[in-house]
Amino acid sequence: MAPPMVTAAVMVAMAMVIGVAYGGNFYSECDATWEPQNCWSSDNGNSLSLALVSNSSGSMIRSKRQFIYGVVSTSVQLVPGNSAGTVTTFYTSSLGDKHDEIDFEFLGNETGQPYTIHTNVYANGVGDKEMQFKPWFDPTDGFHNYTISWTPCRIVWYIDGTPIRVFRNYENSNGVPFPTWQPMYAYSSIWAAEDWATQKGRVKTDWSKAPFVANYHGIDLDVCECYGGDCIYGCSAAFAGQGCAAQQLTADEMGKMQWVQSNFRIYDYCVDYKRFYGQMAPECSLPQY
């Protein structure tokens, strides 16, 4: 079943592409690619747990299918209690040094302190497009849905159906790198990053609390699946025929995103003048909605 936040127009465009498939569980959609002994599933593959056991032993799963464009979605219950130094992820990425990547990363914290929700996008190996948020909910109390929508026009990050960020494609008009041609996989993982993840590394992991476990429920990959090089031509043609205007956020979605960014955004690379010595990325002065 497609996530409710995906517009009908986007789904129609995706249905035009041979190889689009909907639904599936962790058994059918994913392989454990790192420390499989720290990964287990239940509920006939609909539920998944990933464990971080030590500073060198976490866990990762990867989708079996590669794709160019689509909507990927899962629900996550993050590590409760003292999660300092842990990073739980849900993201898409291509392979190779000059890879493309779209990130949701959840940086743990001391008991009673909020998680940091970290988003980023890489194109041809270049990132530095970070935007971070504090959650307006408890991400350890039950499951919350995280969705990445990737089209030739824009990338949108959603939490529980609310868009929190948009990154538009300004590659042709303004020379801003955008992921358009490298097939990606979907990934989820948990790993140790106590040297930087929590308050810039000031708070270390309490390994007496290990294992740290993140729980997932359901995975939806509504994607333009790749068979050799066919995905590049087929998906691009389908979405180009639809046009970017049909993929605009609604007024209600824009209002919700502006509420999140006004109240819960804690970092935006576009206003970090010190980091970039005042040489800000060209998209920072362009509309991102």
Side-chain angles (χ1 to χ4, degrees), residues 13-170:
M14 293 169 64
M16 294 168 61
V17 183
I18 297 174
V20 168
Y22 303 112
N25 60 25
F26 294 104
Y27 279 152
S28 61
E29 290 285 12
C30 301
D31 294 316
T33 56
W34 178 48
E35 302 284 11
Q37 73 275 12
N38 298 333
C39 169
W40 61 94
S41 59
S42 58
D43 186 25
N44 294 318
N46 292 311
S47 296
L48 177 80
S49 296
L50 300 179
L52 175 63
V53 178
S54 71
N55 61 2
S56 61
S57 183
S59 188
M60 175 184 286
I61 62 168
R62 187 181 79 179
S63 66
K64 297 178 180 178
R65 295 185 285 151
Q66 286 182 291
F67 50 91
I68 289 185
Y69 307 131
V71 181
V72 298
S73 179
T74 192
S75 295
V76 188
Q77 182 180 30
L78 296 177
V79 176
N82 188 345
S83 58
T86 70
V87 179
T88 304
T89 73
F90 177 59
Y91 65 103
T92 67
S93 181
S94 64
L95 303 177
D97 293 336
K98 293 185 179 297
H99 71 295
D100 295 342
E101 183 174 324
I102 307 168
D103 291 336
F104 261 124
E105 294 185 331
F106 309 99
L107 313 185
N109 214 329
E110 301 173 276
T111 301
Q113 298 298 312
Y115 265 81
T116 295
I117 300 172
H118 176 96
T119 66
N120 200 0
V121 56
Y122 288 76
N124 298 321
V126 178
D128 297 334
K129 310 290 187 186
E130 301 94 340
M131 191 178 288
Q132 295 181 336
F133 305 84
K134 294 297 185 187
W136 54 98
F137 52 90
D138 182 355
T140 72
D141 182 16
F143 289 89
H144 293 269
N145 181 266
Y146 303 92
T147 296
I148 296 168
S149 173
W150 171 35
T151 78
C153 303
R154 60 182 53 81
I155 298 163
V156 188
W157 292 256
Y158 295 88
I159 299 178
D160 291 332
T162 295
I164 65 168
R165 178 185 181 184
V166 173
F167 186 82
R168 287 177 59 173
N169 184 352
Y170 286 116

Side-chain angles (χ1 to χ4, degrees), residues 118-265:
H118 176 96
T119 66
N120 200 0
V121 56
Y122 288 76
N124 298 321
V126 178
D128 297 334
K129 310 290 187 186
E130 301 94 340
M131 191 178 288
Q132 295 181 336
F133 305 84
K134 294 297 185 187
W136 54 98
F137 52 90
D138 182 355
T140 72
D141 182 16
F143 289 89
H144 293 269
N145 181 266
Y146 303 92
T147 296
I148 296 168
S149 173
W150 171 35
T151 78
C153 303
R154 60 182 53 81
I155 298 163
V156 188
W157 292 256
Y158 295 88
I159 299 178
D160 291 332
T162 295
I164 65 168
R165 178 185 181 184
V166 173
F167 186 82
R168 287 177 59 173
N169 184 352
Y170 286 116
E171 187 163 42
N172 290 335
S173 59
N174 296 88
V176 179
F178 189 89
T180 57
W181 63 274
Q182 297 193 75
M184 296 206 213
Y185 293 97
Y187 293 83
S188 291
S189 66
I190 185 169
W191 49 284
E194 65 178 359
D195 57 331
W196 65 268
T198 303
Q199 300 176 34
K200 297 184 178 180
R202 290 190 294 269
V203 181
K204 303 302 181 182
T205 305
D206 181 356
W207 290 108
S208 71
K209 306 295 185 183
F212 301 96
V213 179
N215 296 307
Y216 293 73
H217 184 74
I219 183 166
D220 288 308
L221 303 178
D222 298 342
V223 297
C224 303
E225 190 172 353
C226 294
Y227 297 98
D230 291 343
C231 58
I232 299 175
Y233 174 77
C235 287
S236 296
F239 278 112
Q242 180 202 8
C244 291
Q247 299 176 35
Q248 295 282 359
L249 297 181
T250 67
D252 181 63
E253 289 175 322
M254 289 179 62
K256 289 178 178 178
M257 181 171 65
Q258 290 167 352
W259 174 79
V260 170
Q261 293 193 0
S262 295
N263 292 282
F264 301 100
R265 183 173 58 190

